[in-house]
Amino acid sequence: MRVYHERLWVPVPWWLLGLVVTVLFGAELAAGFSWPVAGAIFAALAGGCAAMFTSWGRVRVEVAGDELRAGGARLPLAAAGQVSALDQAQTRAIHGPRADPAAFQLMRPYLRRAVYVEGTDPGLGTPYWLGATRHPGELAAAIGRTRPAPRADDATVG
């Protein structure tokens, strides 16, 4: 059962910017060449830009069954601790200067908000997951609704 699903499509303004950059850079590279060579340059640049944007937009984030899937990675929700929907400033701080190199991060430059999921299982090897999303509140709520409730015998007495 899929509770949440999102595909991280590249927005249209990024495609338009890629087109402008391709035209400007292609004109610079193709200057002085014959038309067939210039056409090949433009085709290679446009194809490279389209391949990059298509690859970025192919990634899916979903909460299904008992796990969070982000790209090819999977996090069992039983190993998920604190879940927080982050705004732009919080995402920038934890993704940038405060980032843990051992953390799993699925970020996209065109998405400025994310969801933080604490990893509670040391066997996973990652202290937290940070995933970009257009709807951080919805993703955090889906994780919260889907993950199993903590068992009474798991509680530690301090």
Side-chain angles (χ1 to χ4, degrees):
M1 171 179 79
R2 189 183 330 176
V3 178
Y4 179 87
H5 179 266
E6 178 180 11
R7 195 147 183 185
L8 303 182
W9 296 107
V10 176
V12 173
W14 276 66
W15 285 91
L16 296 175
L17 181 61
L19 177 65
V20 169
V21 169
T22 297
V23 168
L24 291 174
F25 192 52
E28 185 72 26
L29 290 176
F33 286 106
S34 64
W35 282 107
V37 173
I41 290 172
F42 279 105
L45 289 173
C49 183
M52 181 178 68
F53 285 169
T54 301
S55 174
W56 280 355
R58 183 171 287 144
V59 174
R60 295 177 183 176
V61 175
E62 62 184 20
V63 176
D66 60 347
E67 64 186 5
L68 168 63
R69 299 177 191 145
R74 297 167 186 260
L75 174 69
L77 292 179
Q82 173 190 356
V83 178
S84 302
L86 306 177
D87 63 17
Q88 275 185 280
Q90 293 168 322
T91 300
R92 187 175 347 127
I94 200 166
H95 176 61
R98 291 183 31 211
D100 185 333
F104 172 79
Q105 296 190 27
L106 178 68
M107 301 301 293
R108 293 293 181 255
Y110 47 87
L111 296 174
R112 302 199 174 171
R113 297 179 298 161
V115 169
Y116 169 90
V117 181
E118 175 188 30
T120 59
D121 183 1
L124 292 174
T126 181
Y128 63 87
W129 278 40
L130 184 66
T133 177
R134 287 184 175 86
H135 312 286
E138 292 176 28
L139 177 55
I143 293 168
R145 284 192 315 267
T146 308
R147 74 175 164 194
R151 297 185 320 220
D153 61 341
D154 287 343
T156 57
V157 178

